[in-house]
Amino acid sequence: MATLILVRHGRSTANTSGVLAGRMPGVALDERGAAQAAALPGRLAGVPLAAAVSSPLQRCRETLRPLLDARPDLPLHVEERISECDYGDWSGRKLAELSDDPLMEVVQAHASAAAFPGGESMRAMQNRAVEAVRDWNARIEAEHGEDATYVMCSHGDIVKSIVADALGLHLDLFQRIHVDPCSVTVIRYTRLRPFLLRLGDTGDFAGLVPRETSDSSGAAEVGGGAGAP
């Protein structure tokens, strides 16, 4: 079947302000995010792409724009099922203030039981995203052959949940996966099993440099975090 290149959107204004954006309108790439997006065509140079699929949210469309400009014949499809998790009443709130909410512990350790007030469950989020990938795999293969490759731009928790499915990991373990802004994750799907070829590849090791202040609690950054400083 098809090979999927998953791109998390570039760094956004919400990432840098520590806000859980969710599906809020008007969340754009910040200056660094725009630079990350501008570098994407070069990083994927030489890779034949059959199609581009995007979350409907602005930050994903902006991330793919330089790639589409560089490849004017590349068709773009908008896919609602890979939109950001619906965080409901948590949307627009500071992550720092959410850290003490009892639900955050469930999100961290038992994601399959987590449901956001006024929003969706993390289980529903994963189900719709994986279903979208499977449908697009079949469509791309039918239209372009089993060796076709396509790119999909989505959000941190969506990418992590798709990776967990590909690896056969329970959703409760998906917080062990980390993907930086504008990182590239590649999954090759076959008749028997998926193969994870790349995970969160940015070509940049700045994120490994120790920070002046760091969180040693082991908590994952809901929504994906802002990446390296």
Side-chain angles (χ1 to χ4, degrees), residues 149-160:
T149 298
Y150 69 109
V151 63
M152 178 179 283
C153 187
S154 189
H155 308 267
D157 282 347
I158 298 290
V159 173
K160 288 162 55 177

Side-chain angles (χ1 to χ4, degrees), residues 6 125-126 130 134 156-177 179 185 187 189 194 196 199:
L6 271 170
M125 174 200 74
Q126 183 186 43
V130 170
R134 298 291 181 172
D157 282 347
I158 298 290
V159 173
K160 288 162 55 177
S161 70
I162 293 170
V163 170
D165 171 77
L167 292 176
L169 292 177
H170 196 282
L171 183 61
D172 288 349
L173 302 179
F174 100 126
Q175 297 290 23
R176 301 184 183 194
I177 300 166
V179 289
T185 293
I187 305 170
Y189 288 85
L196 181 64
L199 176 61

Side-chain angles (χ1 to χ4, degrees), residues 12-36:
S12 72
T13 53
N15 293 145
T16 47
S17 60
V19 169
L20 188 63
R23 298 180 179 181
M24 291 170 51
V27 177
L29 298 184
D30 67 7
E31 185 176 353
R32 179 169 181 174
Q36 291 169 332

Side-chain angles (χ1 to χ4, degrees), residues 5-10 53-57 59-61 63-64 79-85 125 128-129 133 151-162 179-183 223:
I5 298 177
L6 271 170
V7 178
R8 183 187 168 199
H9 63 77
V53 182
S54 178
S55 157
L57 297 181
R59 53 196 182 273
C60 289
R61 290 172 174 267
T63 298
L64 286 181
E79 173 56 74
E80 295 283 345
R81 291 175 294 177
I82 62 167
S83 187
E84 178 64 285
C85 184
M125 174 200 74
R128 63 173 166 82
V133 167
V151 63
M152 178 179 283
C153 187
S154 189
H155 308 267
D157 282 347
I158 298 290
V159 173
K160 288 162 55 177
S161 70
I162 293 170
V179 289
D180 274 338
C182 221
S183 62

Side-chain angles (χ1 to χ4, degrees), residues 43 200-205:
R43 294 169 64 196
D201 188 342
T202 62
D204 179 2
F205 292 95

Side-chain angles (χ1 to χ4, degrees), residues 202-214:
T202 62
D204 179 2
F205 292 95
L208 302 181
V209 177
R211 303 185 188 185
E212 292 183 6
T213 58
S214 61

